[in-house]
Amino acid sequence: MCLAVPARIVELDGTRATISVEGALREVDVSLIEEPRLGEYVLVHAGFAIHKWDADEVAEWERIRGMAETVPKEVAT
Amino acid sequence: MTWNQLTGRIHELARLVGRDVYLMEVCGTHTMAAFRSGLRQLLPANVHLISGPGCPVCVTDTNYIDAAIELTRRADVTVATFGDLLRVPGSDTSLEQERAVGGDVRIVYSPTDALMLARQHPRRHVVFLGVGFETTAPTVAFNIWTAARDGVSNFHVLCAHKTMPRAMEALLKDQTVRLDGFMCPGHVSVITGLEMYEFIARDYWRPCVVTGFEPADMLEGIAMLLAQIVAGVARVENQYTRSVTREGNRRAQELLAEVFEPCDASWRGLGVIPGSGLAIRPKYAAHDAAVALGVTFRAARVHPGCRCGDVLRGVVQPTQCPLFGKACTPLSPFGPCMVSAEGTCAAHYKYGYRMAA
């Protein structure tokens, strides 16, 4: 239940934002984070953005996801 | 670091530990991620991942489900819930079965959707089933606060929110639970920050590592826990630095404090744990379904063979339950751990059981 997914803000209107999760669009509430901006990545849980990632945090996400690319074939299959 | 380097480091640390090590992934989302990714198979034989009480649906008492079912039988009530709760067995029936015979039960994606239903249907009482930990509770608090501000008097919450730290402490006090360290719940910690785990490291000498949910996050978290055990230290560390800060989400914390107050809460498998629940403050009583609609919680019946309680404490594996995979399957679950998408029994059934068979 505590699942939260990273998503990018593609539209912003007051406390409501449209976010994109790998292309799928959804409207969420951004009341729980400070100063959301267009293009930023947020963590979304139950219709609310609960955290905002800065550029370093997005880079950290890419590092972690990149590690999956190094999984040896015999493990991946 | 590559995948091979990381798993190699885990094997080296496990060799240095030189004994069996039991690491609890507290969060149900970690449990499911560990099974789905197959990372359990990569671990050394002496490193054991055990699942904890971090599936909110699983730890919710049967009497809460019974109370929600009773609400669906009232002609002027709509019950709104996350989908996870729908098939959880109550004493005699489930919300899904009640819906099939005409109960007004709606699945919502967010508590905000339930508030919207209340605005759209002012003559009906809309009751949102408030189940979940510190990650979910602020989203419910926000909607109670909004309903009070806007005078949406027909929006209520049947509140069973719980908080993690005292449940983790209860496990440490339980002599039957073998536990060398905690992989702490990442998204709970987004809200709470790191401070709340300090007493576990300080008073109980168990390493705590707040961990993310990608497979590589979890491997890093395991390596950090093992490194602490090898070094003979117990600290609170943060692997999930991209999402978790020391202080947490202050706005969400303020909302929690505004709308809720700590209360004793009953956990399936752990019993009543003082200070481990969240109750709606009297100031918002009009939105507390238990108060506003006079809901009573009665003694519930659970199947005597169901061992969900022991599974939730990490004392037994699901396969040790006599019902698992026979009478109790995802299609006909007896206990909540087989129902929830992140329940330990459901995870074992989906990913582990057939491999072991």
Side-chain angles (χ1 to χ4, degrees):
Chain A
M1 189 179 275
C2 290
L3 190 67
V5 294
R8 198 164 53 84
I9 298 176
V10 295
E11 274 180 45
L12 195 56
D13 180 12
T15 60
R16 304 295 294 171
T18 302
I19 51 142
S20 167
V21 183
E22 295 180 355
L25 301 181
R26 178 112 216 172
E27 194 175 310
V28 300
D29 196 301
V30 290
S31 301
L32 297 181
I33 58 171
E34 291 179 10
E35 297 177 22
R37 293 194 183 90
L38 269 182
E40 285 182 325
Y41 275 89
V42 290
L43 264 185
V44 174
H45 170 75
F48 283 78
I50 58 170
H51 182 75
K52 197 172 76 164
W53 282 352
D54 63 22
D56 288 346
E57 291 164 346
V58 173
E60 166 67 5
W61 183 44
E62 285 165 355
R63 180 188 74 81
I64 285 290
R65 284 166 64 102
M67 209 183 288
E69 304 298 320
T70 68
V71 175
K73 269 189 181 161
E74 64 272 20
V75 175
T77 55
Chain B
M1 190 179 277
T2 66
W3 189 272
N4 267 355
Q5 287 167 332
L6 186 52
T7 53
R9 176 162 168 71
I10 288 172
H11 279 262
E12 173 62 13
L13 287 164
R15 192 184 62 76
L16 291 171
V17 173
R19 63 175 172 84
D20 283 317
V21 177
Y22 296 87
L23 307 177
M24 177 171 278
E25 88 267 0
V26 178
C27 177
T29 310
H30 275 148
T31 298
M32 212 35 148
F35 274 102
R36 192 170 46 234
S37 63
L39 70 80
R40 283 166 181 264
Q41 277 85 345
L42 299 176
L43 298 179
N46 64 326
V47 176
H48 308 276
L49 274 188
I50 53 175
S51 303
C55 160
V57 171
C58 304
V59 295
T60 299
D61 241 347
T62 304
N63 68 359
Y64 178 88
I65 303 295
D66 289 345
I69 286 168
E70 191 269 321
L71 281 170
T72 68
R73 293 171 178 167
R74 300 192 193 183
D76 59 348
V77 170
T78 296
V79 168
T81 177
F82 292 135
D84 279 28
L85 277 175
L86 204 64
R87 297 178 61 232
V88 177
S91 290
D92 300 308
T93 172
S94 67
L95 289 165
E96 184 180 51
Q97 289 167 310
E98 292 302 313
R99 186 173 68 168
V101 294
D104 189 359
V105 181
R106 314 283 183 95
I107 295 176
V108 292
Y109 156 76
S110 165
T112 305
D113 299 339
L115 180 57
M116 180 100 60
L117 273 176
R119 291 184 198 272
Q120 290 167 345
H121 303 281
R123 293 186 179 174
R124 295 187 65 74
H125 293 285
V126 174
V127 179
F128 179 73
L129 302 184
V131 168
F133 298 121
E134 292 95 328
T135 324
T136 310
T139 68
V140 175
F142 181 84
N143 281 287
I144 291 174
W145 178 84
T146 304
R149 182 196 65 190
D150 296 351
V152 188
S153 58
N154 62 322
F155 173 76
H156 316 282
V157 172
L158 188 63
C159 187
H161 287 296
K162 293 178 172 59
T163 51
M164 287 309 323
R166 296 299 153 198
M168 292 163 74
E169 183 179 35
L171 290 169
L172 292 168
K173 287 179 172 171
D174 184 337
Q175 299 297 318
T176 61
V177 181
R178 289 177 298 186
L179 196 48
D180 294 293
F182 284 110
M183 184 184 289
C184 296
H187 292 140
V188 161
S189 309
V190 168
I191 303 297
T192 64
L194 302 177
E195 181 79 31
M196 73 170 185
Y197 304 112
E198 292 289 351
F199 79 98
I200 294 174
R202 185 185 62 237
D203 300 341
Y204 294 93
W205 200 254
R206 298 296 204 289
C208 293
V209 176
V210 173
T211 306
F213 296 90
E214 298 286 347
D217 283 323
M218 294 182 68
L219 287 178
E220 281 192 354
I222 291 165
M224 290 166 75
L225 282 167
L226 292 174
Q228 286 198 48
I229 293 167
V230 168
V233 298
R235 288 193 294 259
V236 178
E237 293 182 324
N238 185 11
Q239 183 277 333
Y240 200 22
T241 52
R242 66 183 180 276
S243 301
V244 176
T245 59
R246 174 151 283 280
E247 66 276 11
N249 182 327
R250 287 274 164 78
R251 281 194 184 193
Q253 291 167 15
E254 284 165 13
L255 256 178
L256 286 176
E258 165 66 22
V259 173
F260 296 120
E261 58 190 5
C263 68
D264 299 347
S266 179
W267 297 60
R268 187 189 300 268
L270 297 173
V272 174
I273 303 174
S276 68
L278 295 173
I280 297 170
R281 288 188 185 277
K283 180 179 172 185
Y284 295 98
H287 303 288
D288 184 344
V291 177
L293 302 181
V295 177
T296 50
F297 293 89
R298 299 186 178 86
R301 287 195 315 277
V302 293
H303 191 287
C306 175
R307 297 197 67 185
C308 275
D310 292 330
V311 170
L312 290 164
R313 290 187 299 130
V315 176
V316 302
Q317 293 290 314
T319 45
Q320 293 172 271
C321 173
L323 303 178
F324 179 83
K326 301 181 183 83
C328 184
T329 67
L331 281 177
S332 58
F334 274 76
C337 299
M338 187 60 94
V339 181
S340 172
E342 54 188 41
T344 308
C345 296
H348 271 258
Y349 190 89
K350 188 170 183 183
Y351 296 109
Y353 177 54
R354 279 169 294 175
M355 285 162 52

